[in-house]
Amino acid sequence: MDVRLLGLDAPLVNALHHLIDAADDGDKIANAPTRTYVRDAKAMAATPADVKEYPNSYVFIVDMPGLKSGDIKVQVEDDNVLVVSGERKREEEKEGARYVRMERRVGKFMRKFVLPENANTDAISAVCRDGVLTVTVHKLPPPEPKKPKTIEVKIA
């Protein structure tokens, strides 16, 4: 409702409207994503991966061209989140050389995958060959069905 309709078009009322609008803008700023969140979101979006399921394992395949094993980190967080992260560093410029075009991505990268309940987090292997990281997570064997327990009936 517009307060001018009630005859309250005074500087005090206008100031109150300004404060209320400023509070709404403050909420927008307070709820804005943090710089870290934006950086992590960009790192995750720029790291494509394939996930395959086999009868006995899950396989995660991530392209990592030009990276050494020391540049890649594979971890398990919270007992069921597989995290692949690392950093691609810019090559040191040699004297007399300068970039004419720079399209290859440099910086941190990260991917997180929530593992299924049957993933054996104690049996994970990671191999990087020809710029392709392959992380294999073996499955836990299915639980054996419980056999019925027979109770001996005694005659009293």
Side-chain angles (χ1 to χ4, degrees), residues 1-17:
M1 173 192 259
D2 193 356
V3 292
R4 287 176 285 195
L5 295 174
L6 300 174
L8 298 174
D9 191 21
L12 179 62
V13 175
N14 287 334
L16 287 173
H17 273 288

Side-chain angles (χ1 to χ4, degrees), residues 28-125:
K28 291 176 188 174
I29 292 170
N31 292 331
T34 64
R35 187 176 289 177
T36 303
Y37 175 82
V38 172
R39 184 194 69 223
D40 290 349
K42 286 181 180 178
M44 290 179 72
T47 308
D50 294 337
V51 182
K52 293 181 182 179
E53 181 178 6
Y54 292 98
N56 295 324
S57 64
Y58 299 98
V59 177
F60 300 84
I61 303 164
V62 186
D63 289 339
M64 304 271 173
L67 293 178
K68 301 175 187 122
S69 62
D71 297 333
I72 304 167
K73 188 187 305 184
V74 178
Q75 298 175 305
V76 176
E77 294 178 346
D78 302 327
D79 293 329
N80 71 333
V81 179
L82 177 69
V83 180
V84 177
S85 62
E87 185 172 6
R88 178 174 290 118
K89 297 178 179 131
R90 179 175 293 157
E91 296 175 8
E92 292 183 27
E93 292 186 27
K94 296 181 180 171
E95 196 172 312
R98 66 178 181 88
Y99 281 101
V100 175
R101 169 175 266 153
M102 184 184 241
E103 294 181 353
R104 295 186 312 151
R105 193 179 164 287
V106 294
K108 294 186 179 196
F109 61 88
M110 173 182 48
R111 280 303 301 265
K112 291 185 178 186
F113 305 94
V114 177
L115 298 172
E117 288 182 18
N118 66 342
N120 184 356
T121 56
D122 295 327
I124 296 178
S125 62

